[in-house]
Amino acid sequence: MNPANRPEMTQRFEAIYNEAVARKKALNESSQPMIYIGMATCGLAAGALETRQSFEQTLLEEDLAAIIRPVGCIGHCYAEPVVIIDHPSSGFPPLFYQQVTPGKAKMLVKSFLAGGDPLFEHVLGAMKANDMVPQVTDFPRFSQEERIVMGKCGLIDPEDIYDYIAEGGYLSLIKALTLSQDEIIKEIKNSGLRGRGGAGFLTGRKWGLAKDAQGLKKFVICNADEGDPGAYMDRTILESNPHQVLEGMAICAYAVGATEAIAYVRSEYPIAVKRVVTAISQAEELGLFGEGAQGFFDIKFSVFKGSGAFVCGEETALIQSLEGNRGMPRHRPPYPVQKGLNGHPTVINNVKTLASVPAIINKGAQWYRDIGARQSPGTAIFSVVGSVVHPGLVEIPMGVTLETLIFDICGGIPNKKGFKAVQIGGPSGGCLPADFLATPIDFDSLSGAGAMMGSGGMVVMDEDTCMVNVARYFVDFTQKESCGKCTFCRIGTRHLLDILDRITKGEGREGDLEQLESLALAIKAGSLCGLGKTAPNPILTSLRYFRDEYEAHIMEKRCPAGMCRKLTAYYIDLDRCARGCDACVGSCPVEAIFTTKNRKKGIDQSLCVKCGECMAACPQQYDAVRKVSPPDKAPVIERPVEE
Amino acid sequence: MNYSASEEEAGLPDKIALERDVAARLKGFDNHRRNLIPILQDIQDHFLYLAPEAILMVAEHIGIGASEVYGVATFYNQFRFHPPGRHPIKVCLGTACHVRGGDIILENFERKLGISDGETTTDREFSIERVACVGCCALAPVAVVDENIQGHMAPSKVEGIVLGYKIERDRIDRERENEPGEPA
Ligand SMILES: Cc1cc2nc3c(=O)[nH]c(=O)nc-3n(C[C@H](O)[C@H](O)[C@H](O)COP(=O)(O)O)c2cc1C
Ligand code: FES
């Protein structure tokens, strides 16, 4: 780009900005109510499309006008489908509604839009301060969050660039273009921003190395391969606010002198891919970037769809797949910043890392440094799932404790169950027991405890979850995803899996635990990339903190949590079973339930697949189905011989 | 793999048409190696799987061996080498779904349809695939049938879904039988 053009550039951007503000103002001033519907994957899964159709249809029937705006995901997965209704002429502030089914949508149109009654029983809270309805930000799920990366997610239309610009979007890019490359890199360095892809490498340092690297050409790649089977924040960000990520990529490209930027998005994320493609073409159309853009920034954006291999999240494997090869990691150094895609210097950053950049450029390094923990400034995003009352995506300042996150923000464990463990970081992370609830969440404290920031996947487990089973699950995953390059990773994980398989089936032997441990350490030492190096973590941490559970499986052939199916049995307590009641019979998928001579029910253990359906089907007042481990604790009830 | 219905019966495009179609698609890409994965994705998007003929044509287009193309394609979970069923069923075995018994759901589909994960029923109606996190963990366990996400799955729901399709199919068959003019 040509520095002489900068004043003209600022001027041209001002025109675009004014246009965006004018559009927004026109929308706000139209007296029509606005209905915002969360339509990211999670919302759609919960039925947002049907909700939208119901709104449209009822509006038509009632002959009312309203503007329906599809927005992204606000992160409150437990409340999906989420709808925000802004109806100024009713006198109410914008209201946040949860679990808006098509039926509820119909009611809302009839009562609120037509009749002025906002149906308080379905309101979660207000989106603005007022003196009628409590504000959502007063609830712990909102008040303890701090949103830098996800600040606009769920509030703007991800397919409308003007919506982003009206909220201050792309101002940071324009500001960055008036700074020198070194000034930007210094700012990022000073902010202390660490990569959110897992390892926490200092982003400013990475950019500095890339800028200093010699190359005919340089690349910036946004890593949105998100392979952890329990994390989905990167997708949500791309689906809800793709422009913020593009802006971060553009700033990075300018800072390191790259001319090509590639978003590497999993092909399993079709909506994210589509929205990123749309966002790129909109930004190019406005001339913000694109080849040959006059006065603005000369950069070529493209999207590459990852084909579903966990290891391709690793940067060197990712490059291999971009080059059309099997995604096998290679030795580092040389690092991608020196020799990356096609041998050119390449910066690879995670979605969240790049999405943090615009705010840092806009508000300054010091502002960012003041948020979060000393060695880990900024915010962390977790997808908190499993046994919690309010699952979803949470963005918190680093340094918040696990306890606050799980119990205050996400509402604790449902169904009066006890907290058992939390698994952090997906297949590379570890399971932490209750003793660690006071641990602050930051890169170093989590690694110190044996877990890892990793992907930001967080699964909360209650007393019904078996730690051996969970360890087996993750090893099964990494075993399948091992690329096969290193012997220890390829064969070692197979052995780990075989041993865990035996243990969960009640065929564990003395010496198994020692063998698991030594094998795990050998795999860590003998693997080239992070996949193998971290694959044993789920085993090592669960062995450290839940060894007694492994021992119960091996010595007593008992699964204390009652999760390993080979080690449990269901039976029907004849003292509680109601004569003539047939509730469980129809629920059984394998017809294992028979009627005893007394017209009560029994379970044929040879047919039972232990799915637990009968337990759920048994009417509460009888509560007659029992689960026991080991299985021989179930009393034998003979099927009556048919006459 | 579990498919014996003849190809015409299942409505698959015949070989010549397939080759013509693939050739037309290949024109959209230059022969650079970095296009290999995008080409395979494009073909699969269109034909739902990678037929052996298509792999040969891609190899020739890029100028590498078919084994090399096959090697790359098999590395990635996305690529299929057999046609999926008309109603593909994906069972989520991501972390949250696993903890909530996703494997029990998978087992129930397998039992109900008489095929294992990765297979297609002989009438090509259904296929089962396991997937990792479809991103609605709050609804775990989750299955995706056709394109519809089904949350809070339970064995009884599996039964209901499969039954629903069977009833629909029977209805269509009956209507077809009753159509006048068709020779029996
Ligand atoms: C097995 C494995 C999987 C990974 N998966 C991802 C991923 O899904 N997303 C990601 O951003 N980084 C992933 N990484 C980390 C990347 O290699 C790389 O460090 C990261 O993208 C750098 O970005 P950052 O500096 O912004 O963290 C993975 C690493 C390993 C070893
Ligand atoms: S784990 Fe199944 S949807 Fe996330």
Side-chain angles (χ1 to χ4, degrees):
Chain A
M1 73 239 57
N2 181 352
N5 284 337
R6 276 183 193 140
E8 191 219 334
M9 175 184 78
T10 320
Q11 226 173 34
R12 262 185 52 199
F13 185 75
E14 222 171 84
I16 296 173
Y17 177 74
N18 290 341
E19 167 73 20
V21 172
R23 284 180 185 223
K24 192 175 166 112
K25 209 165 144 218
L27 264 183
N28 287 345
E29 281 172 0
S30 81
S31 55
Q32 294 183 16
M34 305 263 265
I35 303 172
Y36 298 88
I37 309 178
M39 307 260 278
T41 301
C42 43
L44 293 173
L49 207 57
E50 290 78 13
T51 300
R52 179 186 179 156
Q53 283 161 357
S54 172
F55 269 118
E56 285 168 347
Q57 168 130 22
T58 323
L59 285 168
L60 215 64
E61 283 166 16
E62 300 285 313
D63 197 20
L64 287 171
I67 300 166
I68 294 182
R69 302 216 79 188
V71 291
C73 170
I74 198 163
H76 292 244
C77 302
Y78 63 93
E80 296 282 6
V82 165
V83 168
I84 296 172
I85 301 185
D86 187 2
H87 185 13
S89 64
S90 71
F92 290 103
L95 296 172
F96 183 117
Y97 292 89
Q98 54 177 341
Q99 282 144 2
V100 183
T101 53
K104 236 188 229 182
K106 196 166 176 170
M107 276 180 353
L108 281 170
V109 173
K110 291 193 172 174
S111 310
F112 191 20
L113 301 189
D117 169 11
L119 297 180
F120 281 118
E121 63 275 30
H122 303 296
V123 172
L124 189 81
M127 299 301 289
K128 279 199 190 113
N130 67 96
D131 41 55
M132 284 175 280
V133 192
Q135 223 181 318
V136 285
T137 44
D138 297 338
F139 301 135
R141 185 62 165 73
F142 294 76
S143 67
Q144 308 226 15
E145 282 198 50
E146 170 138 13
R147 294 198 165 192
I148 297 175
V149 173
M150 290 186 55
K152 299 186 183 76
C153 289
L155 303 175
I156 62 171
D157 181 348
E159 298 194 8
D160 183 356
I161 190 171
Y162 283 115
D163 231 19
Y164 179 63
I165 294 176
E167 296 282 332
Y170 287 113
L171 268 176
S172 303
L173 173 63
I174 301 301
K175 179 172 173 189
L177 293 179
T178 61
L179 302 173
S180 74
Q181 290 172 288
D182 286 324
E183 280 171 324
I184 297 174
I185 290 172
K186 194 162 145 238
E187 196 72 9
I188 299 294
K189 266 189 190 154
N190 289 343
S191 76
L193 174 65
R194 294 173 69 172
R196 298 302 197 252
F201 191 79
L202 285 166
T203 305
R205 171 129 41 105
K206 191 184 274 189
W207 291 14
L209 289 169
K211 182 194 164 259
D212 294 339
Q214 295 299 318
L216 289 171
K217 199 173 175 177
K218 290 178 191 174
F219 292 95
V220 170
I221 297 174
C222 170
N223 187 345
D225 197 45
E226 201 164 58
D228 172 356
Y232 53 98
M233 62 286 277
D234 290 356
R235 176 187 58 196
T236 300
I237 294 164
L238 291 176
E239 284 180 356
S240 308
N241 190 4
H243 284 290
Q244 189 168 331
V245 181
L246 296 186
E247 186 175 5
M249 288 169 78
I251 293 171
C252 172
Y254 169 67
V256 305
T259 49
E260 269 193 52
I262 302 169
Y264 188 102
V265 189
R266 287 176 64 164
S267 58
E268 286 99 324
Y269 291 180
I271 302 178
V273 170
K274 180 173 149 262
R275 295 208 172 138
V276 175
V277 169
T278 308
I280 292 173
S281 68
Q282 286 177 346
E284 284 175 352
E285 226 164 81
L286 286 187
L288 286 181
F289 36 74
E291 283 171 299
Q294 320 112 326
F296 275 80
F297 184 32
D298 189 0
I299 183 164
K300 184 168 160 251
F301 267 90
S302 59
V303 176
F304 188 91
K305 289 189 281 176
S307 291
F310 175 59
V311 72
C312 285
E314 199 278 341
E315 50 192 24
T316 59
L318 186 149
I319 289 172
Q320 289 289 328
S321 78
L322 276 172
E323 292 173 351
N325 300 318
R326 292 165 71 92
M328 294 168 108
R330 59 162 179 70
H331 191 266
R332 299 178 304 180
Y335 287 91
V337 284
Q338 301 156 310
K339 250 175 181 304
L341 184 55
N342 301 330
H344 302 301
T346 303
V347 174
I348 300 181
N349 273 136
N350 174 261
V351 174
K352 287 152 284 184
T353 316
L354 291 164
S356 306
V357 166
I360 296 173
I361 296 298
N362 186 22
K363 299 185 182 167
Q366 194 53 43
W367 164 82
Y368 192 77
R369 229 178 211 300
D370 289 341
I371 298 167
R374 245 185 92 78
Q375 296 300 327
S376 307
T379 56
I381 301 184
F382 284 100
S383 54
V384 187
V385 299
S387 299
V388 281
V389 175
H390 292 151
L393 294 181
V394 186
E395 181 169 359
I396 42 164
M398 294 267 190
V400 166
T401 64
L402 285 168
E403 179 154 22
T404 308
L405 175 58
I406 296 169
F407 288 89
D408 298 341
I409 302 181
C410 292
I413 318 289
N415 305 326
K416 301 200 182 98
K417 293 264 163 72
F419 170 88
K420 180 168 185 176
V422 52
Q423 209 285 345
I424 309 171
S428 325
C431 285
L432 301 181
D435 303 347
F436 285 85
L437 280 175
T439 310
I441 296 170
D442 62 64
F443 287 102
D444 309 312
S445 311
L446 287 183
S447 315
M452 165 166 161
M453 200 71 140
S455 53
M458 183 177 285
V459 187
V460 180
M461 299 183 239
D462 64 20
E463 54 202 69
D464 292 342
T465 313
C466 168
M467 291 300 128
V468 186
N469 190 303
V470 169
R472 188 202 161 279
Y473 166 79
F474 283 117
V475 174
D476 183 39
F477 179 82
T478 36
Q479 199 280 320
K480 287 202 177 82
E481 294 293 339
S482 167
C483 78
K485 181 166 182 156
C486 310
T487 315
F488 274 94
C489 178
R490 182 180 69 240
I491 302 175
T493 52
R494 181 75 238 177
H495 277 293
L496 289 179
L497 182 60
D498 286 345
I499 296 173
L500 288 173
D501 251 346
R502 276 200 288 102
I503 296 179
T504 52
K505 283 184 185 154
E507 295 159 16
R509 303 192 279 254
E510 215 167 305
D512 272 352
L513 298 187
E514 290 70 25
Q515 200 177 352
L516 279 178
E517 261 159 358
S518 69
L519 199 52
L521 295 176
I523 294 171
K524 268 176 161 308
S527 300
L528 174 67
C529 86
L531 189 143
K533 280 191 205 301
T534 58
N537 283 354
I539 297 189
L540 288 172
T541 51
S542 56
L543 263 178
R544 188 176 335 151
Y545 302 126
F546 300 94
R547 201 178 185 93
D548 51 336
E549 227 169 289
Y550 281 87
E551 284 166 352
H553 281 76
I554 296 175
M555 318 288 190
E556 303 164 44
K557 313 295 175 207
R558 179 172 68 89
C559 174
M563 192 179 180
C564 296
R565 283 193 277 158
K566 278 264 160 52
L567 299 183
T568 52
Y570 288 84
Y571 75 94
I572 291 171
D573 183 348
L574 292 176
D575 293 338
R576 300 204 54 121
C577 182
R579 191 169 290 176
C581 166
D582 270 341
C584 54
V585 178
S587 75
C588 179
V590 290
E591 292 174 25
I593 299 180
F594 57 83
T595 304
T596 65
K597 285 205 184 89
N598 294 331
R599 293 189 17 249
K600 295 192 174 184
K601 299 290 174 286
I603 297 176
D604 185 337
Q605 299 294 348
S606 66
L607 294 178
C608 177
V609 290
K610 300 166 191 179
C611 65
E613 276 287 279
C614 49
M615 202 167 191
C618 185
Q620 231 168 23
Q621 67 266 38
Y622 306 138
D623 183 24
V625 183
R626 298 274 169 275
K627 180 154 109 177
V628 285
S629 178
D632 51 21
K633 267 173 64 189
V636 180
I637 303 168
E638 293 285 347
R639 192 192 273 267
V641 199
E642 288 184 23
E643 275 112 55
Chain B
M1 239 9 81
N2 194 341
Y3 57 101
S4 59
S6 83
E7 305 224 329
E8 296 95 288
E9 199 185 309
L12 290 179
D14 64 72
K15 241 186 210 170
I16 298 167
L18 180 133
E19 284 176 2
R20 204 180 41 226
D21 248 16
V22 172
R25 292 185 167 268
L26 287 174
K27 288 218 179 80
F29 297 90
D30 68 33
N31 66 352
H32 201 283
R33 173 78 186 237
R34 68 166 177 261
N35 282 330
L36 176 54
I37 293 173
I39 289 174
L40 295 175
Q41 286 170 337
D42 187 56
I43 292 175
Q44 179 160 305
D45 278 351
H46 190 70
F47 298 101
L48 304 178
Y49 77 111
L50 301 176
E53 297 80 10
I55 291 195
L56 287 172
M57 292 173 71
V58 173
E60 196 180 290
H61 182 74
I62 300 206
I64 53 177
S67 59
E68 182 100 13
V69 176
Y70 194 69
V72 171
T74 49
F75 186 86
Y76 297 97
N77 297 329
Q78 183 191 7
F79 297 115
R80 258 184 244 115
F81 304 93
H82 300 289
R86 264 181 283 271
H87 304 295
I89 295 168
K90 297 180 192 141
V91 182
C92 177
L93 289 179
T95 318
C97 289
H98 171 78
V99 177
R100 293 273 171 102
D103 53 335
I104 295 182
I105 304 304
L106 175 64
E107 236 176 58
N108 271 280
F109 273 116
E110 290 178 337
R111 191 167 42 235
K112 202 69 213 156
L113 298 173
I115 51 171
S116 304
D117 108 66
E119 296 183 345
T120 305
T121 51
T122 46
D123 58 2
R124 290 239 162 95
E125 274 298 291
F126 298 101
S127 54
I128 306 180
E129 225 178 302
R130 52 160 80 203
V131 293
C133 195
V134 292
C136 24
C137 310
L139 306 175
V142 172
V144 189
V145 184
D146 286 336
E147 294 293 299
N148 308 319
I149 296 185
Q150 309 272 352
H152 301 300
M153 284 298 296
S156 50
K157 244 179 135 171
V158 171
E159 198 120 337
I161 290 172
V162 175
L163 199 67
Y165 280 111
K166 290 234 158 98
I167 292 173
E168 178 67 14
R169 179 137 204 235
D170 288 348
R171 191 183 59 78
I172 293 172
D173 283 352
R174 248 191 337 259
E175 274 173 15
R176 212 173 275 157
E177 265 168 37
N178 293 340
E179 254 167 48
E182 288 275 319

